[in-house]
Amino acid sequence: MDFSRLNAYRIMWLFVFFDLPVVTKKQRKIAAQFRKSLERDGFSMMQFSVYTRFCGSKESSDVHVKRVKAFIPAEGKTSILRITDKQYGEIINFWGKEKKSLPETPLQLEFF
């Protein structure tokens, strides 16, 4: 396999940040549906209102940005951030006071 194609500047990570109203039962249902839609599209929860997704290229990330835009709720605030794998590699995560390393970046997509 040609690993030069897996350039850390071409591989992308998407972050979706959101703050949705959850005062009424209907608003809670809409917020839950939004989170489930993100998970169905391959996003993983980083924090309760922060979801991340690995994309093999900018073109792939464009597809997922378009999907997220299609199911953003009418109320609330939602932001989408796209960064390169190189930038993502500089993240520092803490769970409590203990520093945790990043999960290993996938080298290729696998289909089952």
Side-chain angles (χ1 to χ4, degrees):
M1 178 177 188
D2 180 16
F3 289 102
S4 64
R5 291 183 345 155
L6 298 175
N7 184 319
Y9 294 99
R10 282 198 36 81
I11 297 171
M12 306 300 291
W13 286 87
L14 289 179
F15 285 75
V16 177
F17 307 93
F18 55 93
D19 185 13
L20 304 176
V22 290
V23 177
T24 68
K25 186 175 181 178
K26 182 179 178 182
Q27 289 173 332
R28 286 190 295 276
K29 183 178 179 180
I30 290 169
Q33 287 172 336
F34 181 66
R35 286 191 300 276
K36 288 177 185 177
S37 295
L38 288 170
E39 289 173 350
R40 275 193 302 273
D41 194 37
F43 284 83
S44 299
M45 182 171 51
M46 185 174 198
Q47 293 181 6
F48 191 67
S49 294
V50 179
Y51 280 68
T52 62
R53 187 185 199 296
F54 170 83
C55 295
S57 67
K58 182 180 181 311
E59 294 77 17
S60 173
S61 69
D62 289 340
V63 169
H64 295 286
V65 167
K66 186 176 180 181
R67 286 184 190 164
V68 172
K69 284 181 179 180
F71 54 75
I72 289 177
E75 294 184 88
K77 300 173 189 169
T78 304
S79 300
I80 302 171
L81 173 66
R82 181 180 6 218
I83 64 171
T84 66
D85 189 50
K86 186 72 170 174
Q87 292 166 318
Y88 184 75
E90 296 298 318
I91 195 168
I92 301 170
N93 292 310
F94 291 88
W95 282 263
K97 291 203 177 250
E98 187 176 321
K99 182 179 172 183
K100 301 280 184 172
S101 60
L102 285 172
E104 189 173 318
T105 302
L107 292 178
Q108 71 181 42
L109 297 176
E110 293 182 16
F111 294 99
F112 299 102

